[in-house]
Amino acid sequence: MVFSEDEVERYARHLVLSEIGGPGQQALKKARVLIVGAGGVGAPAALYLAAAGVGTLGLIDDDTVGLSNLQRQIIFSTGETGRPKVEAGAARLTALNPHVAIETFAERLTADNAAARIGAFDIVLDGTDDFETRHLVNAACVAAGKPLVSGALGRWSGQVAVFIGRPCYQCLVPDVPPDAETCSRVGVVGALAGVIGSMAALETIKLITGAGQPLTGRLMLYDGLSAAARTVKIAAEPACPVCGA
């Protein structure tokens, strides 16, 4: 795979990194990443993955841009209020890096389309904010054998994890919490979305290039108020209905 002069200059800081270099950048260009949810996590993650040179980015979201999104979803602008998120996001990502192909799906991920959508990509980055969708994404990734990068946030804290086979997200969250919080109900500081979205993008880049040690089977918890982070190991649940025996 040959890079154009524009690409060589654009990715110069990657090309000199020993952990990425030419082979890693070629892997990025060949990669297909599906971002589920163009929201607080997905929006900044999409920007960094496009800037990094991921060859094809898929965006799936059935929502439109609202004014309350702009405090944290920095991929959108005020003039795009009311526009489908995937349409506005695709325009911004293409403007950032015209070498990246953007595939858009202005729909919600459901049991009917999950297998087809996820099966067409190499890696899935889930930035959705409801547990039903997270469980659906996880089950489809396990069934298709696709790595899943999961990011979530609320108030002042967030988390990032990587799942490949066992353990899976269902092992971490077996059931939908009855008192599950959402950003619309409890709030979230805008800059936290950038932190967690960037971390999710970084884990995706590590998976693609083989650099470092991804958070596979581990959960990184970040507390923005205390500026503290810790990583814990996720145990595989033997009776997990998704990845169990």
Side-chain angles (χ1 to χ4, degrees), residues 96-179:
L96 174 63
N97 189 349
H99 300 287
V100 176
I102 312 297
E103 297 182 8
T104 61
F105 308 96
E107 61 191 18
R108 189 178 185 85
L109 196 77
T110 66
D112 293 330
N113 64 17
R117 294 288 176 256
I118 287 174
F121 290 84
D122 304 320
I123 297 175
V124 176
L125 191 157
D126 182 14
T128 56
D129 61 358
D130 70 276
F131 287 96
E132 290 85 356
T133 303
R134 291 179 194 170
H135 282 150
L136 180 62
V137 171
N138 173 71
C141 284
V142 172
K146 307 289 184 178
L148 169 62
V149 178
S150 176
L153 48 83
R155 299 180 189 261
W156 291 87
S157 61
Q159 61 185 47
V160 179
V162 175
F163 302 95
I164 304 177
R166 282 175 58 81
C168 73
Y169 181 82
Q170 189 103 16
C171 295
L172 176 66
V173 186
D175 303 297
V176 175
D179 56 348

Side-chain angles (χ1 to χ4, degrees), residues 32 91 141 190 218 226 244:
R32 293 174 55 84
C141 284
R218 296 183 294 150
S226 63

Side-chain angles (χ1 to χ4, degrees), residues 20 71 84 92 95 136 214:
I20 297 182
Q71 163 252 18
R92 176 70 179 89
L136 180 62

Side-chain angles (χ1 to χ4, degrees), residues 35-113:
I35 298 175
V36 184
V41 174
L47 286 170
Y48 271 110
L49 291 176
V54 170
T56 302
L57 286 176
L59 302 177
I60 181 167
D61 197 308
D62 66 344
D63 201 5
T64 57
V65 179
L67 278 176
S68 64
N69 301 145
L70 305 183
Q71 163 252 18
R72 64 200 177 282
Q73 297 174 21
I74 57 173
I75 198 172
F76 308 121
S77 62
T78 302
E80 292 173 318
T81 302
R83 190 178 183 187
K85 282 187 174 181
V86 295
E87 182 182 303
R92 176 70 179 89
L93 297 175
T94 299
L96 174 63
N97 189 349
H99 300 287
V100 176
I102 312 297
E103 297 182 8
T104 61
F105 308 96
E107 61 191 18
R108 189 178 185 85
L109 196 77
T110 66
D112 293 330
N113 64 17

Side-chain angles (χ1 to χ4, degrees), residues 156-157 192 221-230:
W156 291 87
S157 61
L192 178 68
L221 301 161
Y222 176 76
D223 183 342
L225 280 177
S226 63
R230 63 190 179 98

